Amino acid sequence: MNQYWDDLFEQIARHRGKVIGTSVGLLLGWMVVEYGVLKTLFVAVCLGAGYLIGSRADGSGGGRR
């Protein structure tokens, strides 16, 4: 059973971008269906703003300058 999990995590690590993209797409799709487009966009904008503020606070400069 341990080999199964090792193989699974190896595949996830190898295809990390696809896994993250699919997960984000699934989450956004569910939010649009459940809460509507405007509420979902509001949450997405808040997440983006929080990321930019946090990135600048960390000093990594992830946002535009």
Side-chain angles (χ1 to χ4, degrees):
M1 189 66 163
N2 193 20
Q3 181 64 32
Y4 170 78
W5 291 107
D6 291 341
D7 291 343
L8 179 64
F9 289 131
E10 181 182 330
Q11 289 295 320
I12 289 172
R14 188 178 310 161
H15 301 284
R16 188 178 73 189
K18 294 174 188 171
V19 171
I20 291 171
T22 302
S23 299
V24 169
L26 180 65
L27 178 65
L28 287 176
W30 173 77
M31 287 181 68
V32 167
V33 169
E34 186 70 24
Y35 301 111
V37 174
L38 292 178
K39 289 180 182 179
T40 300
L41 286 175
F42 176 73
V43 170
V45 168
C46 288
L47 283 171
Y51 174 80
L52 289 175
I53 292 168
S55 174
R56 289 187 182 184
D58 286 344
S60 63
R64 290 188 232 158
R65 298 214 171 208

